[in-house]
Amino acid sequence: MKEEVQKYLDKIRPSLQADGGDVELVEVTEDGIVKVKLLGACSGCPMSTLTIKNGIERTLKQNVDGVKEVQPV
């Protein structure tokens, strides 16, 4: 599952980079929790929760079987 998650994060990455940010995959747990670290402008952005839940989590849940939640670290 980790390879699939990374593949979709790589597809999301250009839109984050366009705003001066980035995302790094930290861990994918056996129970479907994906842990990511937002970098650059995204790390201190007040909209980072929306980016994670409405952008990253939604995309991963739609495309990678077994993803239950995305959490920031």
Side-chain angles (χ1 to χ4, degrees), residues 7-69:
K7 181 175 94 172
Y8 282 97
L9 287 179
D10 289 343
K11 290 181 180 185
I12 296 167
R13 182 170 280 113
S15 62
L16 295 174
Q17 290 173 336
D19 291 328
D22 206 345
V23 62
E24 174 186 325
L25 178 60
V26 175
E27 180 183 7
V28 178
T29 67
E30 290 182 17
D31 58 344
I33 306 299
V34 176
K35 297 183 181 183
V36 297
K37 181 176 183 180
L38 293 178
L39 306 169
C42 291
S43 66
C45 177
M47 300 299 285
S48 63
T49 301
L50 288 176
T51 299
I52 288 175
K53 293 297 177 185
N54 293 341
I56 298 171
E57 182 175 273
R58 183 171 46 94
T59 299
L60 292 178
K61 282 181 167 181
Q62 288 174 349
N63 295 288
V64 182
D65 289 338
V67 172
K68 305 257 188 291
E69 183 181 4

